[in-house]
Each structure stands twice: as structure tokens, then as C-alpha cells.
Amino acid sequence: MPARICIPTPLRQYVSRKDAVDVSGGTVGEALRELTSKFPELEKHLYNDQGRLRSFINIYVNDEDIRFMQQDKTPLSESDEVRIVPAIAGGVPTAERATLSADEMKRYSRHVIMPEVGIEGQAKLKSGKVLAIGAGGLGSPLTMYLAAAGVGRIGIVDFDVVDVSNLQRQVLHSTASIGKPKLFSARERLSALNPEIDIRTYETKLTSENALDLMVDYDIVVDGTDNFPTRYLVNDACVLLGKPNVYGSIFRFEGQASVFAIRGGPCYRCLYPEPPPAGVVPSCAEGGVLGILPGIIGVIQATEAIKLLLGIGSTLNGRLLLFDALEMSFRELKLRRDPACPICGDKPTVHKLIDYEQFCGIAPAQVDSYTSEGDLDPVELNQWIGERRPMYLLDVREPQEYQLCRIPGAHLIPLGQLPSRLSEIDHNDLVVAYCRSGVRSGKATQLLKKSGFKKVKNLAGGILAWSDKVDPSVPKY
């Protein structure tokens, strides 16, 4: 039987700052057990070592005191409201406040002498728990500054390995880390920076199946992702859990930052209700990024996370910060919560995590695959070239990518220009399109087929696969 348990202010820190939690249970006892199973840190504050409700905790059902009733025999109806009422005396109990050692006082002395932080604020940081999604460009500076600031627990979710192309911006890692999991060098670097903190790493891809479990024990989630499916997943999970989502994104010379999923404020879906069509907005791997840019945006994200933990200042909730490195300018836009938002609106229609690859229109075959049905394998293309088979080899990347490396004999027509330059290609030719990884060229082949071209092939895996399978001298980027 579904029921709602109202959480008092002193205990909200143990339930992701929620003021109410929906649970199921036929009795009050069953409902409370489900509550503590969802939020294990709450259990010791409600029950003693013998499993009995603590004497300073009262339970009410529909404003009726049930202290003298047996909880497991007190039935619940669908509309019942359970309220936890603890004894309060003002302030924060000393036993619950983190304490600082002499070494920590010295390490964080520049914080402690600030009236806005002080010993109490530094203790809040020590008790704080922040989960970073990604150990890449944004994740590097934000986790380093959170660690240096003394945030007590830092979790990092990542499943990638270090590539030499990462080192231009991902300062957590070094040349010695190439080929190793990013989490390995992240843990090593952060532990060396501050051995006083708890670093937890999760070597897995964030999915709809694991997101809620990974995030539930953290106070704040910081989004350091680089793709739309994961960005919407992070947003929705934060809204469902009631956790702040510190957002950042980067591309070439421009960056964005905000704070989403604060109660009463907008979420990422309020800003962008729907993702752009797959392949329309290039990734940093396709479009490039100034190496310094993620440092700037990542530090802004770290600043927002620390302010949230301290409860000071004005966060970017309801504001979108835009940064242009070329102009060295910041601009701020006001954001409003959308009452019709499907996840955080007045009448939400999304109540659980969904398939975000499907939501963003990304088919499994489009994800950097070397062998997709109907595609041409690089080895076979090399054979065709050796046989001098007639074909029009179409490169749909950008000019700067073409200058970096190319397949001999290719004609450059960037994907964005292709619709207006179709006349340059003979309809009778066999057209083989390629890009960096096969995603943009997949879009190009669809466009060509819709425009009447009958003989069209997409090079599976793009020039990256060509480098792996045919010509290792072709640089990978």
C-alpha cells in the first residue's frame, strides 16, 4: 500500500534533503523499514541497537499519535500520511558535527580564517559527499579543487581509459597514464593531493539501471559528461532523488554552467525539453575544444558545489552562465522552471528513468561501430582501392580534420555543406562516405539515399578504423 512519510528538517540531510518520501507498506512498521532500506544512514537516528524506535522519536499517522500502538499492527491506507516528529532543541548536535584534526586545521587554514567558512564551514565540507560523473575535461579540475578544499567524500563514475589526445585538457592524468583506466590515475592524483579524504571510484557506464543507486548516498551530483543521453539521464535521476545537479558543458571556445534540480528551480529539461537530432551537434572529439576551457568551467562547477555544501552565496540556480574564451566574456541568462516540464513540472509524466539513447535518437549501430549492417569494412575498402574500382570517396569531416589526415583520393564536402553540394556527385557513381568514427558519414549516407543515390556505402568506424586496420601511420585524434 503506497504511503507518504513526512521527514522533519533535522533528518532531511539523511534522505537527500527531501521533505517527504513515498514508500509502500501495509503497516507503519513496513513503511518505516522500506524508508530506512532506501536511506540506510537514517536508521540509526530512528532506531536503537535493539531495533526499537528511539524514545525521542514520535510517529503520527494523519496527525494521530501512535506511540502506544504496535507499529507492525498499525495498518496504512493509500491516502495516509505518516509524520516523523523528533525532539528538537535548536542548533546542530555536537555529536553529528564533523571535527577537524590539528593537521586539517593547518591544511585548511586559509578557509578557516574566512568568516564565511570558518571551522564550522570546513566541518561541513568534511561531511560533504559529491559525485562527479566523468573523469575527463570537466571532471579533472572539479575533482582536484573539491579534493583540495577538503570535501570529505568524492565519488567518480567513469569507464574510459586514458588516451594521448586527452592530455591536452584532462589534467588529472599524465603521459604515464596512457592506456590505463582514468579512475586509476584519478584516484592516484587526488590521493596525493589530499590523503585526508575518501575517494570512491565506480568503473562503469552510468545507465538507467545503476544511476539512482550510485547517486543516492551523495549530497550533490556534478555533471562532467560529454553526450546528450547521459546528460538527460543525470538530470532526471537528480530530479527524482531531489539532489542538486551542477551542470557544465564545453565546445571549442565556449562553455556553459548552471545548477539544476533545486526545489522550485528549473531542471535541464526546462532549458532543453528535447535533445537535438543525433549527429547535428558535433562532440568535442569532432569539433575540438580549447584545452583551457574545461579548466574554467570545471572550476566554476566546483565553486557551485562548495557553495551548496556550505549553504552560502547565490548559486547558479535559475541562471545560465555563458563563457566565451575568445572574447573573454561572461554573460548570464535567466532561467525559469517550466510548469509543463515532464520531469519537474506541476504534473510530471516521467516518474522513472527511461532509455536515454532512444530518447536522443541514437541507434546502437551509430556508436563508433566498426561493423554495422550495410557498412563497408576498411579492409574491404582498401582492397577496392587496390583494384582501382571506380568510386567517389566522400570525406564529410571539417576542413581542419581533413588537413590533419585523410584517405588518399577522398573529396572533402563537410556534412553541413552536403545538401547544397549534391550536384558535385554523379548519381551513377558508387559513393563511399567516411568521417572520424562513422557517425557523421552515416548521416551523410542517409541523406544521399533520400536524394536518389542508389549506390552508397558508409565506412564503418571511419578514419579511426582505417588507422587501426589498414594504415597505422594515419594519426588518430
Side-chain angles (χ1 to χ4, degrees), residues 35-52:
L35 175 68
T36 54
S37 68
K38 285 184 175 181
F39 303 100
E41 292 185 20
L42 180 63
E43 185 171 11
K44 64 181 180 181
H45 299 281
L46 295 183
Y47 296 100
N48 60 23
D49 293 339
Q50 289 75 43
R52 296 177 181 174

Side-chain angles (χ1 to χ4, degrees), residues 286-358:
E286 298 167 344
V289 61
L290 181 69
I292 300 167
L293 181 65
I296 297 169
I297 301 301
V299 168
I300 290 173
Q301 289 179 282
T303 305
E304 292 299 286
I306 288 173
K307 284 159 54 183
L308 285 165
L309 290 174
L310 292 174
I312 62 173
S314 299
T315 71
L316 287 172
N317 177 36
R319 297 183 290 160
L320 179 66
L321 188 67
L322 306 179
F323 174 65
D324 187 331
L326 281 180
E327 299 296 330
M328 194 50 70
S329 66
F330 287 90
R331 185 175 181 180
E332 183 182 300
L333 304 178
K334 291 185 178 180
L335 303 178
R336 288 190 176 91
R337 172 179 164 272
D338 180 5
C341 176
I343 185 78
C344 78
D346 296 340
K347 296 180 179 180
T349 56
V350 177
H351 302 287
K352 62 180 181 179
L353 301 180
I354 60 174
D355 184 337
Y356 292 90
E357 297 280 340
Q358 184 182 58

